[in-house]
Amino acid sequence: ARNGREAISQVQTEAFDLVITDLVMLEGDGFEVIDFVRENRPGLRVIAISASTDLDVAVERGAIRARMKPFDIQDLLRDVAEVIATV
């Protein structure tokens, strides 16, 4: 999805095992995505990424993991593997 609004639309209509969302986006931010997932697809896991310091807020709101940008892609892939393994 190109933005939060599109992400929410896709989560409503498609099946996913995991959502990775940036917190800062145009047309709906990552917090809106996290809130929507928590309220409407509670079994769906979310990993939040951001260059901001709001990652702890993302976890408080329901993200299972949070990673600060810039990050090593291998670290993100490890997060994805670990989260998917617990689904």
Side-chain angles (χ1 to χ4, degrees), residues 4 8 21-34:
I8 289 170
T21 186
D22 199 334
L23 295 181
V24 179
M25 297 182 285
L26 300 175
E27 299 183 43
D29 64 26
F31 293 111
E32 292 174 53
V33 174
I34 293 167

Side-chain angles (χ1 to χ4, degrees), residues 16-54:
F16 295 96
D17 294 321
L18 173 69
V19 171
I20 299 173
T21 186
D22 199 334
L23 295 181
V24 179
M25 297 182 285
L26 300 175
E27 299 183 43
D29 64 26
F31 293 111
E32 292 174 53
V33 174
I34 293 167
D35 292 344
F36 180 85
V37 168
R38 187 187 72 241
E39 293 170 12
N40 297 280
R41 300 276 310 274
L44 183 57
R45 308 290 176 99
V46 177
I47 295 175
I49 60 174
S50 184
S52 75
T53 59
D54 293 334

